[in-house]
Amino acid sequence: MDKKNRKSRRVLGILIMALPVALFVLSLNVGSYSIPAGDMGKTLLSLVVPSLRQDVPQVHRDIVLHIRLPRLLLALAAGASLAVSGAALQALFRNPLVNEYILGLSSGSAFGAALSLVFLGRSFPPQPAAFVFAMVAVMAVLLIAGRPESGLVSLLLTGVIVSAFFSALLMLVEFFASPYALQSLFYWLMGNLALAGWRDLALALPLMAAGLTLLILLRWRMNVLSMSDEEARAAGADVRREKWLVILAATLVTAAATSVAGIIGWLGLIVPHLVRMAVGADNRIVIPLSAALGASFLLAADTVTRSLTSIEIPVGIFTSLIGIPIFLALLKKSKKVWL
Amino acid sequence: MIAALCLCLQLLALPYAPKEGATTIRDSLGRTVAVPERVRRVLSLQPEVTRIIVALGAGPSLVGRDDFLARFDHLFPLIHPAQAGLPVVSAADGFPKLEVVLRLDPDLIIASPSEAGLPDLLQKKTGKPVLAFSSMGRFEDLLREILWVGAALGRAERAGTLARFLREKLEAVRRRTEDIPAERRPAVYVSFWGSFTRSPVGYEPVAAAAGRNLADGLLPSRLGSVAVEVSLERILAWDPEILLLHGNYLPGERTVNVAGVLSDPRLRSVRAVKDCRVYYTFGFWHWWDPALALVETIMLAKLFHPERFQDVDVVREGNEVFRVFYGMEGGFDALRRKLEIPDGPWR
């Protein structure tokens, strides 16, 4: 029975890992502008074989190269980043309710974007300010709370307080904003991938890739760090250094994702739980599978929102609307919270 | 205890009691409000109405202004220079500072109908008559609004003159273009509110100028003109012949500009970009300026169908509209220079 269980988990794990690739191919063929499947292949080839370009309409190349590819890559990277960040912090804080925004990151980045949109001039992109203030908020939490191994509860509480502080600052900025700046800000706050371009991804993608690589490499240590500090030390872990590393890497990927995609909620809470329900709580498996499932979840949600209607619905709304009922249904079915 | 507190607060709220000789006005929300026969002091929290008040020649009766007009409206200081001395009482459409309102002691307050409950609450709190008006971006409602505000301020005759002028000008554009078949009306994409992918649904100046606004129909028309976000792919699939960009921003504040759109690699296969038919327009600026909405329609008509408007000098027409509405010479030209709107085929 146990052997059968292990086998089915392995199969499930392989399916989850393969899911982003399958969804990527599917999503590349979906959009408001219809490109026949045969033409899509030719268009993709023409991106690497210049001699084929004359056979492919310019509009097909522009849509694939400048609209769909950056958007799909951002969905994959941001989905993976938010899910892995949530999984890592849940393991670290030994708390299933922790999410990727718990250390004040979302309110910090929202405040940064608001400052940029409202005061720094409308032609200045909000992404750099969102990233900087996300990092500032988390650094403020870490500095105020002190050493991460000494009091995880105090770290979480400080996160709540710093979040509240930046939320108040955000409201202050909103109060002084013009209605037109507010519209841009609200749309950004709802989270969307619609305007992703290569320029936006040039900085964010390497940061997400670096942070994700670090977190995936540290996944072995997360099992140790999720024990008590004494047990972790007995197992040979440098608790302080490793916790700092995990927190910084999780902050880096979340801040990079949020700066280009806006605030996409619930992904870091729901996806790791779904993975744990499916394959258990071993972080060596949970972390890479969270990356794959998070990437797939955001990619699928974005594909649905951009193809359902002519109107662009922010994907952040959709991830919450769809993710929460799925999560609740599975939670009720499994009747337990994994960690 | 909470109930008792609520009761006390209710009793403390100033009830609005109409005085004798009041005129009854019906507003955009269908509320019937008794307004004093002579309104000497008026407070408008709705920028569109404030501009209409100035057009009606009642600018000197304004006792305050909203924050949008004070900080972001580039036309209002031109049409009503005295506005600089008026106190700011609220954000546009927002709830005003009650103590300032009571200190200013207006005979009439005009608010926006889009903020649910605000007019009734304001009337209850201040004891002043509060009307709610907005065109919601429709010409018929704009005409009605001008007449309603005129009636409320005892300037029905002037309001009638303005409404007639506006209607005649629109009718003149319609007569010149009415026989143009649908397939010869250009497909137009309008980018508004600081985002290339945000577009107004039900945008009447485009239709009145015999163009086809591609975002029309994405939402029910009963909502008036509202903004929707559309995807870049959708814009490419529409393949508009003309791209219009919101030009009400000062050049330094524009997120979306003509040069940026023309050089965006994602848009290079769009007909309008290939043919360099990307232009600034005016449109909403916290709802309409009635004069500017009319000039915009004339400008777009010449842009869409230059062969039918060869004899029309848009700048001269624009200045004429501003003279009729605001009594100022060269008003449209002054705004055009301030916003650095370049000449185009509409000229």
Side-chain angles (χ1 to χ4, degrees):
Chain A
M1 182 67 184
D2 205 31
K3 199 176 171 185
K4 197 180 166 190
N5 246 348
R6 271 209 304 275
K7 194 180 172 190
S8 67
R9 282 184 181 186
R10 189 174 299 150
V11 171
L12 196 58
I14 291 168
L15 283 177
I16 292 174
M17 291 303 283
L19 197 56
V21 181
L23 280 171
F24 183 84
V25 174
L26 179 74
S27 302
L28 202 56
N29 285 282
V30 175
S32 312
Y33 195 106
S34 171
I35 302 176
D39 289 3
M40 177 57 77
K42 220 187 286 177
T43 307
L44 285 172
L45 270 178
S46 77
L47 299 178
V48 285
V49 184
S51 60
L52 289 176
R53 282 183 193 166
Q54 58 204 22
D55 303 332
V56 178
Q58 178 73 45
V59 64
H60 288 187
R61 285 217 311 276
D62 289 343
I63 285 174
V64 172
L65 181 63
H66 293 296
I67 296 177
R68 288 192 194 166
L69 274 177
R71 185 169 182 157
L72 266 50
L73 284 177
L74 177 60
L76 288 172
S81 297
L82 297 174
V84 167
S85 174
L89 293 176
Q90 282 156 23
L92 198 70
F93 290 113
R94 300 189 287 274
N95 187 329
L97 292 176
V98 166
N99 64 37
E100 70 276 31
Y101 295 131
I102 200 75
L103 297 178
L105 197 143
S106 59
S107 43
S109 66
F111 173 67
L115 266 188
S116 176
L117 285 166
V118 176
F119 294 116
L120 292 184
R122 300 175 61 82
S123 52
F124 195 82
Q127 287 87 353
F131 180 79
V132 167
F133 276 92
M135 298 299 284
V136 166
V138 176
M139 291 306 134
V141 170
L142 297 178
L143 284 174
I144 295 166
R147 297 183 305 173
E149 78 278 14
S150 63
L152 292 174
V153 174
S154 79
L155 202 58
L156 291 177
L157 275 175
T158 313
V160 171
I161 291 163
V162 169
S163 282
F165 180 73
F166 275 101
S167 296
L169 287 177
L170 173 66
M171 283 190 276
L172 191 68
V173 174
E174 285 174 352
F175 188 77
F176 286 107
S178 81
Y180 297 97
L182 272 182
Q183 288 200 33
S184 301
L185 178 60
F186 285 146
Y187 195 68
W188 186 88
L189 289 176
M190 285 189 263
N192 77 88
L193 314 173
L195 291 175
W198 292 115
R199 203 180 58 173
D200 303 317
L201 299 184
L203 179 67
L205 272 184
L207 289 177
M208 284 189 265
L212 277 172
T213 307
L214 186 58
L215 286 170
I216 288 171
L217 289 174
L218 284 169
R219 70 191 191 278
W220 307 88
R221 310 300 293 165
M222 283 181 210
N223 282 342
V224 179
L225 294 173
S226 62
M227 298 187 287
S228 72
D229 287 354
E230 290 74 23
E231 286 173 307
R233 275 192 203 96
D238 183 341
V239 174
R240 187 180 183 196
R241 190 175 68 92
E242 289 177 16
K243 282 191 174 179
W244 268 103
L245 263 180
V246 171
I247 289 173
L248 287 176
T251 300
L252 184 72
V253 295
T254 311
T258 307
S259 69
V260 280
I263 297 168
I264 297 171
W266 291 94
L267 218 65
L269 190 65
I270 291 169
V271 170
H273 279 76
L274 293 178
V275 170
R276 287 190 202 103
M277 284 178 204
V279 298
D282 185 345
N283 285 305
R284 291 172 305 169
I285 301 162
V286 167
I287 296 295
L289 287 190
S290 291
L293 192 62
S296 307
F297 190 88
L298 192 56
L299 186 58
D302 185 53
T303 304
V304 171
T305 54
R306 71 188 167 88
S307 53
L308 259 187
T309 64
S310 293
I311 297 170
E312 185 86 36
I313 303 167
V315 71
I317 296 174
F318 196 74
T319 52
S320 301
L321 279 178
I322 297 299
I324 294 167
I326 294 174
F327 177 63
L328 284 176
L330 287 171
L331 201 61
K332 200 167 178 191
K333 199 176 164 194
S334 74
K335 290 191 170 55
K336 57 183 168 184
V337 174
W338 290 90
L339 191 63
Chain B
M1 198 166 142
I2 291 170
L5 189 62
C6 288
L7 186 65
C8 289
L9 287 173
Q10 290 281 333
L11 291 172
L12 283 173
L14 301 169
Y16 169 57
K19 295 188 178 86
E20 272 185 45
T23 315
T24 302
I25 305 280
R26 196 177 162 82
D27 68 9
S28 298
L29 292 171
R31 298 158 66 248
T32 306
V33 178
V35 175
E37 200 169 6
R38 293 205 58 168
V39 175
R40 291 189 181 84
R41 300 173 63 77
V42 62
L43 176 63
S44 166
L45 310 174
Q46 213 275 53
E48 182 177 79
V49 173
T50 314
R51 296 166 191 137
I52 291 173
I53 291 171
V54 174
L56 290 169
S61 63
L62 288 167
V63 294
R65 59 189 169 148
D66 67 76
D67 184 52
F68 184 83
L69 282 182
R71 289 200 293 148
F72 306 108
D73 194 310
H74 314 302
L75 173 62
F76 198 63
L78 296 176
I79 62 171
H80 189 55
Q83 62 91 34
L86 295 173
V88 174
V89 294
S90 74
D93 292 352
F95 199 78
K97 290 178 268 190
L98 287 174
E99 289 190 23
V100 177
V101 173
L102 290 171
R103 179 168 59 79
L104 294 172
D105 192 25
D107 304 319
L108 172 67
I109 300 172
I110 303 180
S112 168
S114 55
E115 297 299 311
L118 187 144
D120 283 333
L121 184 62
L122 197 54
Q123 186 162 291
K124 194 171 160 187
K125 291 274 183 195
T126 60
K128 307 283 182 188
V130 179
L131 289 166
F133 291 128
S134 172
S135 70
M136 301 303 284
R138 288 180 288 235
F139 278 121
E140 274 309 315
D141 288 336
L142 178 66
L143 289 164
R144 204 172 298 134
E145 185 182 25
I146 291 171
L147 296 175
W148 277 339
V149 176
L153 298 182
R155 291 171 185 266
E157 197 179 326
R158 168 74 178 154
T161 306
L162 289 180
R164 235 180 349 266
F165 178 79
L166 187 54
R167 195 181 286 282
E168 281 167 8
K169 287 284 181 190
L170 289 173
E171 181 57 24
V173 172
R174 194 191 65 77
R175 273 199 305 273
R176 285 182 188 235
T177 55
E178 63 186 339
D179 61 324
I180 298 174
E183 66 274 12
R184 283 196 49 228
R185 295 178 180 229
V188 180
Y189 176 76
V190 189
S191 148
F192 263 21
W193 297 287
S195 160
F196 184 72
T197 51
R198 195 170 299 141
S199 192
V201 177
Y203 191 60
E204 281 198 16
V206 170
R212 285 181 291 128
N213 178 23
L214 290 164
D216 277 359
L218 292 183
L219 285 177
S221 58
R222 66 182 164 76
L223 296 171
S225 191
V226 289
V228 290
E229 282 286 338
V230 293
S231 66
L232 278 173
E233 261 193 74
R234 166 55 54 198
I235 299 168
L236 264 71
W238 276 333
D239 197 15
E241 296 165 74
I242 293 177
L243 286 173
L244 297 176
L245 312 180
H246 206 179
N248 288 47
Y249 297 98
L250 291 174
E253 295 174 345
R254 282 186 191 127
T255 317
V256 184
N257 57 47
V258 171
V261 169
L262 287 174
S263 61
D264 190 329
R266 297 171 298 180
L267 301 170
R268 64 186 158 191
S269 47
V270 172
R271 271 184 295 176
V273 174
K274 280 195 284 197
D275 300 340
C276 292
R277 298 186 76 186
V278 184
Y279 310 103
Y280 291 113
T281 188
F282 298 97
F284 294 133
W285 198 235
H286 223 290
W287 297 114
W288 263 332
D289 174 89
L292 198 54
L294 177 57
V295 181
E296 182 188 28
T297 305
I298 298 168
M299 183 182 101
L300 294 181
K302 184 161 184 185
L303 183 66
F304 299 165
H305 306 287
E307 72 288 355
R308 301 209 174 203
F309 291 87
Q310 274 174 352
D311 59 320
V312 175
D313 180 334
V314 174
V315 173
R316 196 170 53 78
E317 280 279 324
N319 286 334
E320 168 67 4
V321 171
F322 273 70
R323 193 186 59 74
V324 171
F325 268 83
Y326 302 121
M328 67 182 298
E329 298 297 335
F332 176 61
D333 229 6
L335 179 68
R336 212 166 58 89
R337 281 199 303 273
K338 191 172 183 181
L339 300 176
E340 294 180 23
I341 302 287
D343 278 346
W346 53 268
R347 184 68 201 268

